[in-house]
Amino acid sequence: MKRKMLSILLVAALATSALTGCGKKSEEPATDTPSTTEQDEPTNEEQGEEPTDTTEEPEEEADNQTAGGKIEVAALEGGYGKTIWEDVCKAFTEETGIEVELLTSKVLEDEIGPSMQAGDYPDVIHLATGREKGLTETFIKDKNIVDITDVLSMTVPGEDAVVSDKIAGGFTETSLTNPYGDGKTYLAPMFYSPCGLFYNAGLMEEKGWEVPTTWDEMWELGDKAKAEGISLFTYPTTGYFDAFFYALMYSAGGPEFFDKATKYEEGIWDSEEAKTCFDIVAKLATYTEPSTPAQANDQDFTKNQQLVLDNKALFMPNGTWIVGEMANAPREDGFKWGMTALPAVKEGGDGYSYTWFEQAWIPGGAENPDGAKQFIAFLYSDKACEIFASAVDADGNPVPAVQPVIGIADMLEGDNKMFYSIYDDGAKAAMGNFAAYDSVVGVTNREVWFDPVNSLVSGDKTQEDWVNGIKEMNDQMRENLVQ
C-alpha cells in the first residue's frame, strides 16, 4: 500500500509530541517532512517485514525478535480511561511475546500528528470516525489504511477460536468497517454502544409523562415541558447527530433509503423520506435549549449534557458511555438514567437505535503490520474483553468498554445491562455510515449534514439553506466516491 502523507490535515503548526507509554522509543522521528505527492511502494522493511540479511544481529535484538518483536499502539483515552489499554497491552505481551509501546491521549490526533507527518506511524491506531478533526476519515479517503480481512480468519492469540466466530453478526459487514464496498475489511469494530435519546427517568415518573413512541407524541411532550420551563432537547456537539440522523433515516425510509442516501444517489434528498428527516430536525431545533450551540464543542460539551441532569432539557442523543462520563456530575434529586430509541415517524412504524462503535486500524505506514494484526485479533479474546468490561473511572465508577463479541452482555450489570437490552425491547438496530469519497472535495460529512444544526438552533440558517448545501455537496461526493 502506498504511503501518502497527511499534510493537508496535519499542519505544521502542530507541536511535535514524543510517544510515551509501555516503552521508550529508541529512535527519533525523521526531521525531513515528506512531500504530499504519492510515494514509491514501501520496501519490505517499511512494511514491517524483516529484510533478507545474513549479518549477525546483536544478542539483545535477536532475543527481542525471537520473543515476537515490538509494535506501537496509539489509543484514544476516552471515557473508559487508559488503564484498560495498559492492562490489555501487558496481557498481549504475556501471550505473544510482542512488546507494546503504548500512547494514550484525550487529544490523540494532536499527539500522533507531528510524528506521522514526519513518516513515523503507530502500528495500530484506535480512533473512531466522526470526530471533529476527521483524521480516520482522511486515512480512509487517501486509501492509506491496511486491509485486515485476513484477521477475521486468524486464531485469537491464546485461544482456539477464530476471530470471525467471536464478533457479533453485522459488525464486519458495514461501511464503518468496509468503507470501499469491495468486500474487504479495513477497520476493526471496537467498543460498541446502542445510541439513542437519554433522559431523566425520575423526572418523567414525577411528572407522569410517557416516553414518546412517535414524533407527534414528542412534539406534544415538548409543549408540556416548555410550559414548565424545560426544553425538549439538547445535544453534546453536532457530531452526535451522526447516530441520530442515521437512525432517523432508517425510521423514515428503512434500510433501502439509508443505503441510497449514504451513497449519495442523485436526487435522493428531494425524496419524501429525505424531506421527513429534514422537517423533523428543523422542528427539533426550535425545541432545543437555547444555550446548546455555544457549548456544542469538544471543550464544553459536558455543559450540554448537564442540562439533562439539571432538568433544563428532557432528551439528548448519546451513547452508553454517558453514565461514566457524567458519573461525578451534580444532578437533581431522584435522577435516574433512561434511554429510548428514536420515535417512529408515524403510528405503528419502527423506532431505531443506532449502534455506534469505535474502530481500530492499521495505517499504511505501519512498520510491523503482522504484529499489529495479532494485536487486533487479541482484542477479541476473552481476556481482553474481561479487561475492557472491567473499566472504571478515576473514582472507581464502572464504565465498561463493551466489545462486539457474542455473549458480552453476560459481563454487564446495572444501567448498562438495561441499555444493552434496548434491542430486546422492540427497537430495531441501525448500522452503517456515509460512503467514503476522495478528499479532493475538501469537506467532511459532519460539516455538511450535522454542523449546520447549530445555525438552525440559533436562527442563523434556515432549513432551506441547510438542505441546499447538502444537495450541492452530495453531487460532488458522488462524483468522487472512492472506488
Coordinates of all heavy atoms in Angstrom, one line a residue, residues 54-116:
T54 N 22.1 -11.6 6.1 CA 22.9 -12.7 6.7 C 23.8 -12.2 7.8 O 24.5 -13.0 8.4 CB 23.7 -13.3 5.6 OG1 24.6 -12.3 5.0 CG2 22.8 -13.9 4.5
T55 N 23.8 -10.9 8.1 CA 24.7 -10.4 9.1 C 24.1 -10.8 10.5 O 22.9 -11.0 10.7 CB 24.8 -8.9 9.1 OG1 23.5 -8.3 9.2 CG2 25.4 -8.4 7.7
E56 N 25.0 -11.0 11.4 CA 24.6 -11.5 12.8 C 24.1 -10.3 13.5 O 24.6 -9.2 13.6 CB 25.8 -12.1 13.5 CG 25.5 -12.7 14.8 CD 26.6 -13.4 15.4 OE1 27.6 -13.6 14.7 OE2 26.6 -13.8 16.6
E57 N 22.9 -10.5 14.1 CA 22.3 -9.4 14.9 C 22.9 -9.4 16.3 O 23.3 -10.4 16.8 CB 20.7 -9.7 15.0 CG 20.0 -9.7 13.7 CD 19.9 -8.3 13.2 OE1 20.2 -7.3 13.9 OE2 19.5 -8.1 12.0
P58 N 22.9 -8.2 16.9 CA 23.3 -8.2 18.3 C 22.4 -9.1 19.2 O 21.2 -9.3 18.9 CB 23.1 -6.7 18.7 CG 23.1 -6.0 17.4 CD 22.5 -6.9 16.4
E59 N 23.0 -9.7 20.2 CA 22.3 -10.7 21.0 C 20.9 -10.2 21.6 O 19.9 -10.8 21.5 CB 23.2 -11.1 22.2 CG 22.5 -12.2 23.0 CD 23.4 -12.7 24.1 OE1 24.6 -12.4 24.1 OE2 23.0 -13.5 24.9
E60 N 20.9 -8.9 22.1 CA 19.7 -8.4 22.7 C 18.6 -8.2 21.6 O 17.4 -8.6 21.9 CB 20.0 -7.0 23.3 CG 18.8 -6.4 24.0 CD 19.1 -5.1 24.6 OE1 20.3 -4.7 24.7 OE2 18.1 -4.4 25.1
E61 N 18.9 -7.8 20.4 CA 17.9 -7.6 19.4 C 17.4 -8.9 18.9 O 16.3 -9.1 18.6 CB 18.5 -6.8 18.2 CG 17.5 -6.5 17.1 CD 18.1 -5.5 16.1 OE1 19.2 -4.9 16.4 OE2 17.5 -5.4 15.0
A62 N 18.3 -9.9 18.8 CA 17.9 -11.3 18.4 C 16.9 -11.8 19.4 O 15.9 -12.5 19.0 CB 19.1 -12.2 18.2
D63 N 17.2 -11.7 20.7 CA 16.2 -12.2 21.7 C 14.9 -11.5 21.5 O 13.8 -12.1 21.6 CB 16.8 -11.9 23.1 CG 18.0 -12.8 23.4 OD1 18.2 -13.8 22.7 OD2 18.7 -12.4 24.3
N64 N 14.9 -10.2 21.2 CA 13.6 -9.5 21.0 C 12.8 -10.0 19.8 O 11.6 -10.2 19.9 CB 13.9 -8.0 20.9 CG 12.7 -7.2 20.9 OD1 11.9 -7.3 21.8 ND2 12.5 -6.3 19.9
Q65 N 13.5 -10.3 18.7 CA 12.9 -10.9 17.6 C 12.3 -12.2 17.9 O 11.2 -12.6 17.5 CB 13.9 -10.9 16.4 CG 14.3 -9.6 15.9 CD 15.3 -9.7 14.8 OE1 15.7 -10.7 14.4 NE2 15.6 -8.5 14.2
T66 N 13.0 -13.0 18.6 CA 12.5 -14.3 19.0 C 11.3 -14.2 19.8 O 10.3 -15.0 19.7 CB 13.6 -15.1 19.8 OG1 14.8 -15.2 19.0 CG2 13.1 -16.5 20.2
A67 N 11.2 -13.2 20.7 CA 10.1 -13.0 21.5 C 8.9 -12.5 20.8 O 7.8 -12.5 21.3 CB 10.4 -12.1 22.7
G68 N 9.1 -12.0 19.5 CA 7.9 -11.6 18.8 C 8.0 -10.1 18.3 O 7.1 -9.7 17.6
G69 N 9.1 -9.4 18.6 CA 9.3 -8.1 18.1 C 8.5 -7.0 18.9 O 8.3 -7.2 20.1
K70 N 8.2 -5.9 18.3 CA 7.6 -4.8 19.0 C 6.6 -4.1 18.1 O 6.8 -4.0 16.9 CB 8.8 -3.9 19.4 CG 8.4 -2.6 20.2 CD 9.6 -1.8 20.5 CE 9.3 -0.5 21.3 NZ 10.5 0.2 21.6
I71 N 5.6 -3.6 18.7 CA 4.6 -2.7 18.0 C 4.3 -1.5 18.8 O 4.5 -1.4 20.0 CB 3.3 -3.5 17.7 CG1 2.6 -3.9 19.0 CG2 3.5 -4.7 16.8 CD1 1.2 -4.4 18.8
E72 N 3.9 -0.4 18.1 CA 3.4 0.8 18.7 C 1.9 0.9 18.6 O 1.4 0.7 17.5 CB 4.1 2.0 18.0 CG 5.6 2.0 18.2 CD 6.2 3.2 17.5 OE1 5.5 4.1 17.0 OE2 7.5 3.3 17.4
V73 N 1.3 1.2 19.7 CA -0.2 1.3 19.7 C -0.6 2.7 20.2 O -0.1 3.1 21.2 CB -0.8 0.2 20.6 CG1 -2.3 0.5 20.8 CG2 -0.6 -1.2 20.1
A74 N -1.4 3.4 19.4 CA -1.9 4.7 19.8 C -3.4 4.6 20.0 O -4.1 4.2 19.1 CB -1.6 5.7 18.8
A75 N -3.9 4.9 21.2 CA -5.3 4.7 21.5 C -5.9 5.9 22.1 O -5.3 6.6 23.0 CB -5.5 3.5 22.5
L76 N -7.1 6.3 21.7 CA -7.8 7.4 22.3 C -8.2 7.1 23.7 O -8.7 6.1 24.0 CB -9.1 7.7 21.5 CG -10.0 8.8 22.0 CD1 -9.3 10.2 21.8 CD2 -11.3 8.8 21.4
E77 N -7.8 8.0 24.6 CA -8.2 7.9 26.0 C -9.5 8.6 26.2 O -9.6 9.7 26.6 CB -7.1 8.5 26.9 CG -7.4 8.3 28.4 CD -6.3 9.0 29.2 OE1 -5.2 9.2 28.8 OE2 -6.7 9.4 30.4
G78 N -10.6 7.8 26.0 CA -11.9 8.4 26.1 C -12.5 8.2 27.5 O -11.7 8.2 28.5
G79 N -13.8 8.0 27.6 CA -14.4 7.9 28.9 C -14.0 6.7 29.7 O -14.3 6.6 30.9
Y80 N -13.4 5.7 29.0 CA -13.0 4.5 29.7 C -11.7 4.5 30.4 O -11.3 3.6 31.0 CB -13.0 3.3 28.6 CG -14.3 3.2 27.8 CD1 -14.2 3.3 26.4 CD2 -15.5 3.0 28.4 CE1 -15.4 3.2 25.7 CE2 -16.6 2.9 27.7 CZ -16.6 3.0 26.3 OH -17.7 2.9 25.5
G81 N -10.9 5.6 30.2 CA -9.6 5.8 30.8 C -8.5 5.0 30.1 O -8.8 4.4 29.0
K82 N -7.3 5.1 30.6 CA -6.2 4.5 29.9 C -5.7 3.1 30.6 O -5.0 2.4 29.9 CB -5.0 5.4 29.9 CG -4.4 5.8 31.3 CD -3.2 6.7 31.2 CE -2.6 7.0 32.5 NZ -1.5 7.9 32.4
T83 N -6.2 2.9 31.8 CA -5.7 1.7 32.5 C -6.1 0.4 31.7 O -5.3 -0.6 31.6 CB -6.3 1.6 33.9 OG1 -5.9 2.7 34.6 CG2 -5.8 0.3 34.6
I84 N -7.2 0.4 31.1 CA -7.6 -0.8 30.4 C -6.7 -1.1 29.2 O -6.4 -2.3 28.9 CB -9.1 -0.8 29.8 CG1 -9.3 0.5 29.0 CG2 -10.1 -0.9 31.0 CD1 -10.6 0.6 28.3
W85 N -6.2 0.0 28.6 CA -5.2 -0.2 27.5 C -3.9 -0.7 28.0 O -3.3 -1.6 27.3 CB -5.1 1.1 26.7 CG -6.3 1.3 25.8 CD1 -7.2 2.3 26.0 CD2 -6.6 0.7 24.6 NE1 -8.2 2.2 24.9 CE2 -7.8 1.2 24.1 CE3 -5.9 -0.4 23.9 CZ2 -8.3 0.8 22.9 CZ3 -6.5 -0.8 22.7 CH2 -7.7 -0.2 22.2
E86 N -3.5 -0.2 29.1 CA -2.2 -0.7 29.7 C -2.3 -2.1 30.0 O -1.4 -2.9 29.8 CB -1.9 0.2 30.9 CG -1.6 1.6 30.6 CD -1.5 2.5 31.9 OE1 -2.0 2.0 32.9 OE2 -1.0 3.6 31.8
D87 N -3.4 -2.6 30.6 CA -3.6 -3.9 31.0 C -3.7 -4.9 29.8 O -3.2 -6.0 29.8 CB -4.9 -4.1 31.9 CG -4.7 -3.4 33.3 OD1 -3.5 -3.1 33.6 OD2 -5.7 -3.2 33.9
V88 N -4.4 -4.4 28.8 CA -4.6 -5.3 27.6 C -3.2 -5.4 26.9 O -2.8 -6.5 26.4 CB -5.6 -4.6 26.6 CG1 -5.5 -5.3 25.2 CG2 -7.0 -4.9 27.1
C89 N -2.4 -4.3 26.8 CA -1.1 -4.4 26.2 C -0.2 -5.4 27.0 O 0.5 -6.2 26.4 CB -0.4 -3.0 26.1 SG -1.2 -1.9 25.0
K90 N -0.3 -5.3 28.3 CA 0.5 -6.2 29.1 C 0.1 -7.7 28.9 O 0.9 -8.6 28.7 CB 0.3 -5.9 30.6 CG 1.1 -6.8 31.6 CD 0.9 -6.4 33.0 CE 1.7 -7.3 34.0 NZ 1.4 -6.9 35.4
A91 N -1.2 -7.9 28.8 CA -1.7 -9.3 28.6 C -1.3 -9.8 27.2 O -1.0 -11.0 27.1 CB -3.2 -9.3 28.8
F92 N -1.3 -8.9 26.2 CA -0.9 -9.3 24.9 C 0.5 -9.7 24.8 O 0.9 -10.7 24.2 CB -1.2 -8.1 23.9 CG -0.7 -8.3 22.5 CD1 -1.3 -9.2 21.7 CD2 0.4 -7.6 22.1 CE1 -0.8 -9.4 20.4 CE2 0.9 -7.8 20.8 CZ 0.3 -8.7 19.9
T93 N 1.4 -8.9 25.5 CA 2.8 -9.2 25.5 C 3.0 -10.6 26.2 O 3.8 -11.4 25.8 CB 3.6 -8.1 26.2 OG1 3.4 -6.9 25.5 CG2 5.1 -8.5 26.3
E94 N 2.3 -10.8 27.3 CA 2.5 -12.1 28.1 C 2.1 -13.3 27.2 O 2.7 -14.3 27.3 CB 1.6 -12.1 29.3 CG 2.2 -11.1 30.4 CD 1.2 -11.0 31.6 OE1 0.1 -11.5 31.5 OE2 1.6 -10.4 32.6
E95 N 1.1 -13.1 26.3 CA 0.6 -14.1 25.5 C 1.4 -14.4 24.3 O 1.6 -15.5 23.8 CB -0.9 -13.8 25.1 CG -1.6 -14.9 24.3 CD -1.7 -16.2 25.1 OE1 -2.1 -16.1 26.3 OE2 -1.3 -17.3 24.6
T96 N 1.9 -13.3 23.6 CA 2.6 -13.4 22.3 C 4.1 -13.1 22.4 O 4.8 -13.5 21.4 CB 2.0 -12.4 21.3 OG1 2.2 -11.1 21.8 CG2 0.5 -12.7 21.2
G97 N 4.6 -12.5 23.4 CA 6.0 -12.1 23.5 C 6.3 -10.8 22.7 O 7.4 -10.4 22.7
I98 N 5.2 -10.2 22.1 CA 5.4 -9.0 21.3 C 5.3 -7.8 22.3 O 4.3 -7.6 23.0 CB 4.4 -8.9 20.2 CG1 4.5 -10.0 19.2 CG2 4.5 -7.5 19.5 CD1 3.4 -10.0 18.2
E99 N 6.4 -7.0 22.4 CA 6.4 -5.8 23.2 C 5.5 -4.7 22.6 O 5.3 -4.6 21.4 CB 7.8 -5.3 23.4 CG 8.7 -6.3 24.1 CD 10.1 -5.7 24.3 OE1 10.2 -4.4 24.0 OE2 11.0 -6.4 24.6
V100 N 4.8 -4.0 23.5 CA 4.0 -2.9 23.0 C 4.4 -1.6 23.6 O 4.6 -1.4 24.8 CB 2.5 -3.2 23.5 CG1 1.6 -2.0 23.0 CG2 2.0 -4.5 22.9
E101 N 4.6 -0.6 22.7 CA 4.9 0.8 23.2 C 3.5 1.5 23.0 O 3.0 1.6 21.9 CB 5.9 1.4 22.3 CG 6.2 2.9 22.7 CD 7.3 3.5 21.8 OE1 8.2 2.8 21.3 OE2 7.2 4.7 21.6
L102 N 3.0 1.9 24.1 CA 1.6 2.4 24.1 C 1.6 4.0 24.3 O 2.3 4.5 25.2 CB 0.8 1.8 25.3 CG -0.6 2.3 25.5 CD1 -1.6 2.0 24.4 CD2 -1.2 1.7 26.8
L103 N 0.7 4.6 23.6 CA 0.4 6.0 23.8 C -1.1 6.1 23.9 O -1.8 5.7 23.0 CB 0.9 6.9 22.6 CG 0.3 8.3 22.6 CD1 0.9 9.1 23.7 CD2 0.6 9.0 21.2
T104 N -1.6 6.7 25.0 CA -3.0 7.1 25.1 C -3.1 8.6 25.3 O -2.2 9.2 25.9 CB -3.7 6.4 26.2 OG1 -3.1 6.8 27.5 CG2 -3.6 4.8 26.1
S105 N -4.1 9.2 24.7 CA -4.3 10.6 24.8 C -5.8 11.0 24.6 O -6.5 10.3 23.8 CB -3.4 11.4 23.8 OG -3.7 12.7 23.9
K106 N -6.2 12.0 25.3 CA -7.6 12.5 25.0 C -7.6 13.3 23.7 O -8.7 13.6 23.2 CB -8.0 13.4 26.2 CG -8.2 12.6 27.5 CD -8.6 13.5 28.6 CE -8.7 12.8 30.0 NZ -9.7 11.7 30.0
V107 N -6.5 13.8 23.3 CA -6.3 14.5 22.0 C -5.4 13.8 21.1 O -4.3 14.3 20.8 CB -5.9 16.0 22.3 CG1 -7.0 16.8 22.9 CG2 -4.7 16.0 23.2
L108 N -5.7 12.6 20.8 CA -4.8 11.7 20.1 C -4.3 12.2 18.8 O -3.1 12.1 18.4 CB -5.5 10.3 19.9 CG -4.5 9.2 19.4 CD1 -3.5 8.9 20.4 CD2 -5.3 7.9 19.0
E109 N -5.2 12.9 18.1 CA -4.8 13.4 16.8 C -3.6 14.4 16.9 O -2.7 14.4 16.1 CB -6.0 14.2 16.1 CG -7.2 13.3 15.8 CD -8.2 13.3 16.9 OE1 -7.8 13.5 18.1 OE2 -9.4 13.1 16.6
D110 N -3.6 15.2 18.0 CA -2.6 16.2 18.2 C -1.3 15.5 18.6 O -0.2 16.0 18.3 CB -3.0 17.2 19.2 CG -4.1 18.1 18.8 OD1 -4.4 18.1 17.6 OD2 -4.8 18.6 19.7
E111 N -1.4 14.4 19.3 CA -0.2 13.7 19.8 C 0.5 12.9 18.7 O 1.7 13.0 18.6 CB -0.6 12.7 20.9 CG -1.2 13.3 22.1 CD -0.1 13.9 23.0 OE1 1.1 13.6 22.7 OE2 -0.4 14.6 24.0
I112 N -0.2 12.3 17.8 CA 0.4 11.4 16.8 C 0.6 12.2 15.5 O 1.4 11.7 14.6 CB -0.3 10.1 16.5 CG1 -1.7 10.4 16.0 CG2 -0.4 9.3 17.8 CD1 -2.5 9.1 15.7
G113 N -0.1 13.3 15.3 CA 0.0 14.1 14.1 C 1.4 14.4 13.6 O 1.8 14.1 12.5
P114 N 2.2 15.1 14.4 CA 3.5 15.5 14.0 C 4.4 14.4 13.6 O 5.2 14.4 12.6 CB 4.1 16.3 15.2 CG 2.9 16.8 16.0 CD 1.8 15.7 15.8
S115 N 4.4 13.3 14.4 CA 5.2 12.1 14.1 C 4.8 11.5 12.8 O 5.7 11.1 12.0 CB 5.1 11.1 15.2 OG 5.6 11.6 16.4
M116 N 3.5 11.4 12.5 CA 3.1 10.8 11.2 C 3.4 11.7 10.1 O 3.8 11.2 9.0 CB 1.6 10.5 11.3 CG 1.2 9.4 12.2 SD -0.5 8.7 11.9 CE -1.5 10.2 12.3

